[in-house]
Structures are given as C-alpha cells and as structure tokens.
Amino acid sequence: MNAIIASTSTIHGSEYLAYLQPTLKEHFNNIKELIFIPFARPGGISHDVYTQKAQEGLAALNIKVKGIHEFKNYTEAITQAEAIFTGGGNTFVLLNQLYQHKLIAPLQDAILNRKIPYLGTSAGSNICGKNIKTTNDMPIVYPPSYDSLGILPFNINPHYLDPNPNSTHKGETRETRIKEFHAYNSTPVIGLREGSWLKATEKDIVLEGNLKARVFKQGEIPYEVAPNTSFKNLK
Amino acid sequence: MNAIIASTSTIHGSEYLAYLQPTLKEHFNNIKELIFIPFARPGGISHDVYTQKAQEGLAALNIKVKGIHEFKNYTEAITQAEAIFTGGGNTFVLLNQLYQHKLIAPLQDAILNRKIPYLGTSAGSNICGKNIKTTNDMPIVYPPSYDSLGILPFNINPHYLDPNPNSTHKGETRETRIKEFHAYNSTPVIGLREGSWLKATEKDIVLEGNLKARVFKQGEIPYEVAPNTSFKNLK
C-alpha cells in the first residue's frame, strides 16, 4: 500500500491541491499518467469538468490525468493504472458508482497488491475506511452496501469540525454523530481536520500535516493525537 | 392527515418542546395517551430515557406518554394509538427500525386514514417526506430502503442552516448538498429552519413559526418563502 488519504483537496485561502503539492511530488514521483475517478461529482459537476480540474491541480507535476469515464473498460483502466486519484464530492454517489461498475475488487488489488500510488481526498478518502458510515454527506443515492475499500482497518471522518461553542444551532455536532455511530459499530474513527492527511504504507499509517487529529473509539473518551502519530495498531 | 412536522424539538435557550407548547396544546386537544417512537435515539440514549424526556416535554398538556417499545405488539400500538410522536435523533436508525418492525404501512394508515394527530421533530419529520435522502444525519446503520412515509409530496431538510459567510471550512454547505440531491432526484425540498414547522392537514400544508423557509426545486434557483405559505401544490 502506498496511499495519501487526505481530509480535503483544498484548504481555506489556497488553490485546489495546493497545500499537498510537496507531498504529491514525492508520492507521484516518476508517474507519467494517472487515472482520476470523478464519480463523486462535487456540486453535481460533470466527469469531464471534474477531470479537467484534477488535471489542473496536478499540472505542475507533469502528470497526464485521464478520467476513468474516458475508458471503454473501467476495470482495465484500474488494473493497468500507474497511479489513481479519487476526488471528493458525494460519498454515496461515489461508492454507488464503484459498485455499479464492479470496481471495488480491482481498486483493492491495485492499492493492496500492485501497491500503486493512490490519492484520495474527502469522499475519495472516506472510501478507504471499512465503510462509509462516518461520511458527512447526504444520502442522495442508495448504494447496494456501505462497505467500502477497507484498505484502512478503521474509518475516517474527513473535514472534521470541532464543536462551535458559540453556535445556537441544535443540529448534532460531529462528535455527537460519531458517538451515535459507536452505539452500533465498534470500528474506530479518525476525525481528520482540513489540512491533515494519512500516509498509509505496508509498514505504517501515519498522521501528516500540521494539525492534530481526533480519535474516537467505542466506549472511550475521544482523544487528540499529534502529527506523526502512528495508527498502525488502531483497530 | 393532521400532522405537525417540526424542524427541531428544541430551540436555542429554551427547553425541550417549549416553543411548540401552544401549538401542541391545540394539536393534542382531548388526547389522553400518546405513543412515542424513540427509535432515533439521539446521542445513542435508551428508549426508556428518551420516552421519559418526551413525557416531561408533554407533561403540561396532561398527556400520558407510552414508548412503543413498551408494547408486546408494536403494530397494535400504532393501530390503536390516539396520537403519535416520533422524536429526533438519527434518521437512518429510525427508518431502519420502522422497516424492521414493519411499521411503515401501519403509520401511513394511522396518519392518512385514521387521521390521528401526529408530531414529528427532526428525524421524526424527515420520515414524513418521500424519502430520507435529504437528512443531515450520519448513515450509521444501513436501512433496507431510503423510502419513508411519504405523507408529504416533497422532502424536508430539518435544522436548515444558512451558509456562514465567515466560515473557512471547505465541507459542503447545506445548499450545495441539496443541489447535489437534485442532480439525481426531482423531489422538491423544503429547508426548515429551527423554529419552523409544517402544519399538514387534508386541506393544506402550511409553513408555521416566525421564520422563512427555503425551497429547493430541481433546476431552479432556491427561494425564500414567508410563514403561512402553502405547500399544497409543491411537487
């Protein structure tokens, strides 16, 4: 495994993928062509428009980006990919499309066995957990299952947001939602703040970026961990 | 139909159900006993604790509250109920339980044919729409379908939250999420702010409370509507 699993593609006041450029330069070293999975369609944009955006975000690395939708055979696109990037958007739509096109097993094989460089942002990171039950997204389509790639032995919650002490809004906080998840599920959850990412390899799964992350385990009080923390043994 | 479909049970700085007391006094006029559906378990609390909370919230109206979980036969509890209140919490958990206990048809019958007074708050309101695809909740359990009671000819989005112009957070706004919903679904959505409710009868479906609501239709620019607006013809 050789994956960058990022909370977000974009941080405030900065361009698409800009904050990740030094990391991606190393991660995609020697990669000439990358397969982009645009299925999550943020804001409902088309696959072509989204792929163009990914191309622009990776232009400085001299990588040619091809959208998976440009291929006749989606499975072949994955099995022959040098590198894969799954963009953010709606996690339900993304996972539904992966099931519809029977891409779960090919993606697992590419990431876990062929060990090609993978990049996920937001929804593209959510699907790296055991299931999508800790997504923040609206369930606008009904996927055949919530089980996802499971290349991580836990779930992540991207765009993790701390409770706002000044809020008058009575909707659930993110922490309350994850607590509710743990009323029914034992899988640990990492709340990844915007600007954080996980670097997942065979040897280790490490928190990168400058921010702490928040770890939620069933029946335990959530706790903060610093950058460089290893999650290898988090189960 | 005789339903109060509220965005939230509780508004900022006020007790559980307090802001709805005058409305509920009229709505539940002459009701002696009410069946409470505690399945949504906010924060993972038990059915007993949640039912006790509902009892306290309705104490001033001299209504005896019984949790549906106290009955041997859940269907009978619904078919014989004088009035029903479904509390908020997690919409996926709630809907999943309704399917598991085969309560969808009995609830539709009680509300649409027997016309007993119904109260829904938050998740208990979400299920009154055509489906739960516009819930804000985390998909912590996988229900057999997203189709819900469909006693309204549209969906609602409870706890509707306007975009915060000062936010630096890059997660989707509520409006973006509903826009994504409309990339795949044609059902209109009413964004109900906290403090708003719908009064739904045979004759009309009317926005009540002091706040405007926001209406989202596929392919149209969202618009605001004032209290007392009728949604009878919103399809």
Side-chain angles (χ1 to χ4, degrees):
Chain A
M1 178 161 48
N2 181 20
I4 299 285
I5 296 166
S7 174
T8 185
S9 61
T10 314
I11 57 173
H12 181 67
S14 156
E15 293 297 307
Y16 186 70
L17 296 179
Y19 80 102
L20 281 171
Q21 291 292 317
T23 307
L24 297 182
K25 190 171 174 155
E26 193 188 318
H27 188 59
F28 290 135
N29 185 29
N30 287 323
I31 298 297
K32 299 274 169 288
E33 188 178 284
L34 171 146
I35 302 299
F36 179 63
I37 301 181
F39 292 154
R41 297 183 59 197
I45 62 171
S46 75
H47 294 156
D48 279 342
V49 168
Y50 199 14
T51 302
Q52 183 53 36
K53 185 173 177 177
Q55 176 65 81
E56 286 160 18
L58 295 171
L61 306 179
N62 285 315
I63 296 172
K64 164 84 184 143
V65 173
K66 288 190 78 170
I68 190 170
H69 64 291
E70 298 169 35
F71 290 77
K72 257 199 189 144
N73 186 325
Y74 289 13
T75 305
E76 228 175 78
I78 297 297
T79 56
Q80 296 179 0
E82 279 180 73
I84 295 170
F85 169 25
T86 306
N90 186 288
T91 307
F92 296 87
V93 174
L94 168 59
L95 187 64
N96 192 49
Q97 287 290 296
L98 295 183
Y99 275 107
Q100 199 161 317
H101 296 293
K102 299 189 168 51
L103 292 174
I104 301 286
L107 276 167
Q108 288 167 328
D109 183 63
I111 297 167
L112 296 175
N113 301 327
R114 287 205 300 122
K115 301 179 180 61
I116 64 167
Y118 176 87
L119 168 65
T121 58
S122 191
S125 294
N126 252 323
I127 59 167
C128 293
K130 291 179 78 168
N131 55 59
I132 64 159
K133 290 181 180 177
T134 51
T135 176
N136 310 308
D137 297 336
M138 257 191 191
I140 60 177
V141 301
Y142 183 71
S145 165
Y146 288 162
D147 291 342
S148 47
L149 298 177
I151 63 172
L152 299 173
F154 44 77
N155 275 8
I156 69 154
N157 176 254
H159 302 283
Y160 182 75
L161 200 53
D162 293 293
N164 174 357
N166 300 317
S167 174
T168 60
H169 188 252
K170 306 299 280 186
E172 291 87 353
T173 64
R174 196 66 62 79
E175 184 154 326
T176 298
R177 293 171 196 276
I178 297 172
K179 185 179 169 195
E180 289 178 359
F181 169 78
H182 279 141
Y184 299 91
N185 303 274
S186 60
T187 304
V189 181
I190 299 180
L192 270 186
R193 295 185 175 92
E194 294 180 342
S196 290
W197 66 93
L198 301 179
K199 169 87 177 164
T201 61
E202 299 304 283
K203 284 194 309 207
D204 212 345
I205 304 170
V206 178
L207 176 64
E208 302 204 335
N210 297 321
L211 303 170
K212 291 181 178 176
R214 194 160 181 85
V215 179
F216 302 84
K217 294 172 85 167
Q218 190 179 42
E220 296 185 22
I221 293 171
Y223 57 92
E224 297 283 317
V225 294
N228 297 317
T229 294
S230 165
F231 296 118
K232 188 173 53 172
N233 298 316
L234 182 68
K235 279 183 189 100
Chain B
M1 179 161 48
N2 181 20
I4 299 286
I5 296 165
S7 174
T8 185
S9 61
T10 314
I11 57 172
H12 180 66
S14 156
E15 294 297 307
Y16 186 69
L17 295 180
Y19 81 102
L20 280 171
Q21 290 293 318
T23 306
L24 297 182
K25 191 171 172 155
E26 194 188 317
H27 188 56
F28 289 136
N29 185 29
N30 287 323
I31 297 296
K32 300 272 170 289
E33 188 179 283
L34 172 148
I35 302 299
F36 180 63
I37 301 180
F39 292 154
R41 297 183 60 196
I45 62 171
S46 75
H47 294 158
D48 279 340
V49 168
Y50 199 13
T51 302
Q52 182 55 35
K53 185 173 175 175
Q55 175 65 80
E56 286 159 17
L58 295 172
L61 306 180
N62 284 315
I63 296 172
K64 164 83 185 145
V65 173
K66 288 190 79 170
I68 191 170
H69 64 291
E70 299 170 35
F71 290 78
K72 256 197 188 147
N73 187 324
Y74 289 12
T75 305
E76 228 175 78
I78 298 296
T79 55
Q80 296 178 359
E82 278 181 73
I84 295 171
F85 169 25
T86 307
N90 186 287
T91 307
F92 296 88
V93 174
L94 168 59
L95 187 65
N96 192 49
Q97 288 289 297
L98 295 183
Y99 276 107
Q100 199 161 317
H101 296 294
K102 300 190 168 48
L103 292 174
I104 301 286
L107 277 167
Q108 289 167 328
D109 182 63
I111 298 168
L112 295 176
N113 300 327
R114 288 207 297 125
K115 302 179 179 59
I116 64 167
Y118 177 88
L119 168 64
T121 59
S122 191
S125 294
N126 252 322
I127 59 167
C128 294
K130 292 179 78 168
N131 54 60
I132 64 159
K133 291 180 179 177
T134 51
T135 177
N136 311 308
D137 297 336
M138 260 192 187
I140 60 177
V141 302
Y142 182 70
S145 166
Y146 288 161
D147 292 340
S148 45
L149 299 178
I151 63 171
L152 299 173
F154 43 78
N155 275 8
I156 69 155
N157 176 255
H159 302 283
Y160 182 75
L161 201 53
D162 293 293
N164 173 358
N166 299 317
S167 175
T168 60
H169 188 250
K170 305 298 279 186
E172 291 86 352
T173 64
R174 194 67 60 79
E175 183 153 328
T176 299
R177 293 171 197 275
I178 298 171
K179 185 180 169 193
E180 288 178 359
F181 168 78
H182 278 141
Y184 299 91
N185 303 274
S186 60
T187 304
V189 181
I190 299 180
L192 269 187
R193 295 184 175 92
E194 293 180 343
S196 290
W197 65 94
L198 300 180
K199 169 87 176 164
T201 61
E202 298 305 283
K203 286 194 310 205
D204 212 344
I205 304 170
V206 177
L207 176 64
E208 302 204 335
N210 297 321
L211 303 169
K212 290 181 178 176
R214 196 160 179 84
V215 179
F216 302 84
K217 294 172 84 168
Q218 190 178 43
E220 296 185 21
I221 293 172
Y223 57 93
E224 297 283 318
V225 293
N228 297 316
T229 294
S230 166
F231 296 118
K232 189 173 54 173
N233 299 316
L234 182 67
K235 282 186 187 95

